[in-house]
Amino acid sequence: MAISKFKLIGGVGVLTALSMLMWTYSQAVQKLEAAQALVVEQQTQSKQLVDVNQSMQSTITRLEQASHQERLAAEHNERQRQQWQQRALKAQRQIDKDIAHEKCADLPIPNVSQWLKWHS
């Protein structure tokens, strides 16, 4: 009878130990699953951030190219403006030279066809 009590107590002890191991194991599995879910969430966020970064980079590249084109256009326009100013100054000088000898504004101007253009 004493041996069966020891067997019973031993069996209960073994069951208790197994129960504690199972509980500890289930806690560890829950923590592991939570950690895995967190890793998946962080990987998803990381991928989203990479996608946003790539989109921003392509936008920056496109804007830099547009800025470069605008700068080239502005430089071209400035050169055109300077050329126009030089032509206008040259025409003004030619006009001054052509009418320098005239006494009255009603008199015909020599060489008028060189610098005057009529728009109809």
Side-chain angles (χ1 to χ4, degrees), residues 22-38:
M22 291 296 287
W23 181 81
T24 303
Y25 175 76
S26 71
Q27 292 296 317
V29 167
Q30 286 177 353
K31 288 180 182 179
L32 181 60
E33 288 173 349
Q36 286 175 336
L38 182 61

Side-chain angles (χ1 to χ4, degrees), residues 10-115:
V12 169
V14 167
L15 286 176
T16 302
L18 285 175
S19 173
M20 288 176 63
L21 284 174
M22 291 296 287
W23 181 81
T24 303
Y25 175 76
S26 71
Q27 292 296 317
V29 167
Q30 286 177 353
K31 288 180 182 179
L32 181 60
E33 288 173 349
Q36 286 175 336
L38 182 61
V39 165
V40 168
E41 180 183 340
Q42 288 177 345
Q43 285 175 339
T44 302
Q45 288 176 350
S46 179
K47 182 169 180 352
Q48 289 172 345
L49 290 174
V50 166
D51 292 343
V52 168
N53 189 28
Q54 288 173 343
S55 174
M56 288 179 148
Q57 186 61 40
S58 67
T59 300
I60 288 169
T61 301
R62 191 173 62 251
L63 290 174
E64 285 174 343
Q65 290 171 347
S67 172
H68 179 69
Q69 292 297 325
E70 291 295 325
R71 185 174 54 252
L72 291 177
E75 290 170 358
H76 175 73
N77 288 342
E78 179 61 22
R79 284 191 303 275
Q80 292 289 330
R81 186 188 65 77
Q82 288 174 355
Q83 289 174 357
W84 178 85
Q85 282 182 330
Q86 289 173 355
R87 284 192 311 267
L89 183 60
K90 183 178 176 183
Q92 179 65 41
R93 287 180 185 152
Q94 184 65 42
I95 291 169
D96 290 343
K97 179 181 166 189
D98 289 346
I99 65 171
H101 66 281
E102 296 295 330
K103 303 284 185 221
C104 179
D106 292 335
L107 295 175
I109 300 172
N111 301 320
V112 73
S113 63
Q114 292 180 4
W115 54 266

